[in-house]
Structures are given as structure tokens and as C-alpha cells.
């Protein structure tokens, strides 16, 4: 898969939103628009992961198929959809972020995650390094409003939490820095959509796809 990256320029504030997007839905768009507005971002890149190399991917549509569907859902000039991780051949989010920080030293990147992901963030490979690489914004989701009080990663990073009223400054803050954003929430989930619609029939070969930004991040907490 050819490495292509969305356009950027030094000084831009760019959010990174990773996941399998299987399928992308309006909940992803809702989170993205909230981050764009509340953080004053210039762009958000959706990083469509190739899928977990440790699991059977025969039922997973290709990056190309999922990216095309994500484009249809995004429908916004400031949202870019990219499958760069397949071309990079990386396995973990922390590897992707290292690459982007080296490639674009003048860009202010912010990692975007839902509150459900914060609850398991401490199990991601190199989660502490991720927090040192980029500021993080956590978007509230139904059932996870209290996550900042209970999540292990949130407790470990408690001193780096930014007040919600200062969210617009997050992209320019030196990491570690993170903010939890409350507001209208979307209950949509890719898992529920797959369960209600059945298996996707459009498939393409998964050659050379070796990375993921979601499920393959999970490691024993002893190795994080």
C-alpha cells in the first residue's frame, strides 16, 4: 500500500482519531466535530487501521473499502481519511505517533479518543509514551461520564489534566496534557451496527496489512 499523507503545514493544529472504522458512522463524525470546535483544530485525520494481526481478519473489509465508506460519512472539508498505517507496517499507535512527530515537527498534533477508550488506555502498548508524545482529548460517551475518576490511566495522569474551560489551549500545551470534554453524546457504535446489519460482503485482499490502532494496542499492563 502506497504511503500518502493528508496535507499539512507547520503551525497547524491537527487531531488524530484512530480506529478500525468498521464501519465509520455518525458517532465518529460527532466526536470529530466536537474536537474541531472545542479545541480550535484546523484538521482531523481519521487513521483507518488495517486490523489486528493477532486475530482472524477474513471478515474485516479492507482498508480501502473502510476508508471509502469513512469518506462518505465524514463529508467535511476539514476531515481527512487516511490508511497510512498499512503502508507504514506498524503494529501499535505509539509507533504511528513517533513517525508523525518525526515527519512533521512543526505540526501540533492532538490524539482524540472516546471516554470508553480511556478506561482501557493503561493497557495500550506504550500508553505512557503516547501521553508524552501528544496532548490528548477525551470525548464523553454514554455510560462513561465518570471514567476520568475511575480509569487507571486518568489517575496516573491526574496532574496533567487540563480544565475543560481551557480546552482551546490544549493543542499548544506541552505533553503530557489531556482534557475531558462533556457535551452532547452519541450512542452509536460500530459493534452495534455490525450486529444489526450482518457481515459486510465487499472484501479485498489484505496483503501486507500488519498494523492496528485499536485492538492490537492492548497489552498486559506489565508491558505498557
Amino acid at each position: 500500500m502506497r504511503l500518502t499523507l493528508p496535507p499539512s503545514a507547520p503551525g497547524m493544529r491537527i487531531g488524530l482519531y484512530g480506529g478500525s472504522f468498521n464501519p465509520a458512522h455518525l458517532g465518529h463524525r460527532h466526536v470529530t466535530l466536537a474536537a474541531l470546535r472545542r479545541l480550535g483544530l484546523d484538521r482531523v485525520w481519521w487513521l483507518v487501521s488495517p486490523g489486528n494481526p493477532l486475530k482472524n481478519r477474513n471478515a474485516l473489509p479492507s482498508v480501502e473499502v473502510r476508508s471509502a465508506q469513512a469518506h462518505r460519512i465524514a463529508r467535511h472539508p476539514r476531515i481527512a481519511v487516511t490508511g497510512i498505517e498499512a503502508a507504514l507496517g506498524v503494529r501499535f499507535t505509539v509507533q504511528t505517533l513517533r513517525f508523525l512527530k518525526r515527519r512533521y515537527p512543526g505540526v501540533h498534533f492532538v490524539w482524540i479518543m472516546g471516554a470508553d477508550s480511556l478506561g482501557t488506555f493503561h493497557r495500550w502498548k506504550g500508553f505512557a509514551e503516547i501521553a508524552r508524545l501528544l496532548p490528548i482529548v477525551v470525548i464523553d460517551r454514554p455510560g462513561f461520564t465518570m471514567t476520568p475518576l475511575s480509569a487507571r490511566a486518568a489517575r496516573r495522569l491526574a496532574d496533567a489534566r487540563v480544565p475543560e474551560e481551557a480546552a482551546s489551549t490544549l493543542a499548544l500545551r506541552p505533553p503530557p496534557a489531556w482534557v475531558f470534554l462533556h457535551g452532547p453524546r452519541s450512542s452509536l457504535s460500530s459493534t452495534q451496527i455490525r450486529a444489526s446489519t450482518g457481515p459486510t460482503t465487499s472484501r479485498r485482499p489484505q496483503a501486507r496489512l500488519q498494523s492496528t490502532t485499536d485492538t492490537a494496542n492492548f497489552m498486559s499492563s506489565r508491558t505498557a
Side-chain angles (χ1 to χ4, degrees):
M1 189 173 188
R2 184 168 175 265
L3 175 60
T4 56
L5 294 163
S8 65
M12 289 183 69
R13 306 181 188 191
I14 296 178
L16 303 174
Y17 190 14
S20 62
F21 294 95
N22 181 33
H25 52 73
L26 292 177
H28 294 127
R29 192 174 189 272
H30 169 83
V31 166
T32 301
L33 295 181
L36 279 166
R37 182 180 68 256
R38 301 280 298 277
L39 271 62
L41 301 178
D42 298 299
R43 300 284 189 277
V44 170
W45 296 357
W46 286 6
L47 307 180
V48 181
S49 71
N52 192 338
L54 304 179
K55 293 186 177 181
N56 185 346
R57 292 174 294 161
N58 291 334
L60 182 68
S62 70
V63 172
E64 293 83 359
V65 168
R66 285 178 285 128
S67 295
Q69 193 266 344
H71 276 290
R72 293 192 293 271
I73 291 294
R75 294 180 293 105
H76 197 285
R78 291 163 62 192
I79 302 175
V81 179
T82 175
I84 64 170
E85 293 182 304
L88 291 175
V90 297
R91 294 189 61 201
F92 303 107
T93 291
V94 66
Q95 295 171 302
T96 304
L97 302 188
R98 288 172 190 158
F99 169 82
L100 291 173
K101 288 284 287 184
R102 289 194 305 267
R103 183 76 173 255
Y104 301 109
V107 172
H108 303 288
F109 288 112
V110 175
W111 183 254
I112 300 170
M113 67 166 64
D116 51 334
S117 295
L118 179 62
T120 54
F121 186 39
H122 66 280
R123 296 178 54 209
W124 289 27
K125 174 71 172 178
F127 92 91
E129 182 180 352
I130 292 173
R132 291 193 302 269
L133 284 169
L134 301 184
I136 298 169
V137 57
V138 183
I139 310 293
D140 196 6
R141 289 201 63 192
F144 295 93
T145 299
M146 302 304 292
T147 305
L149 300 179
S150 59
R152 186 182 302 180
R155 294 197 300 269
R156 288 201 35 191
L157 297 169
D159 291 342
R161 187 172 178 182
V162 175
E164 188 169 356
E165 57 269 23
S168 63
T169 70
L170 183 70
L172 300 182
R173 288 176 178 259
W178 67 283
V179 66
F180 189 94
L181 296 185
H182 297 85
R185 296 169 295 180
S186 171
S187 61
L188 289 172
S189 79
S190 296
T191 301
Q192 292 173 341
I193 292 173
R194 291 197 304 273
S196 64
T197 59
T200 302
T201 56
S202 298
R203 303 285 185 261
R204 291 186 64 180
Q206 296 284 317
R208 234 173 58 72
L209 303 185
Q210 303 172 10
S211 67
T212 183
T213 60
D214 42 23
T215 50
N217 280 320
F218 293 105
M219 305 291 288
S220 165
S221 58
R222 293 189 298 273
T223 63

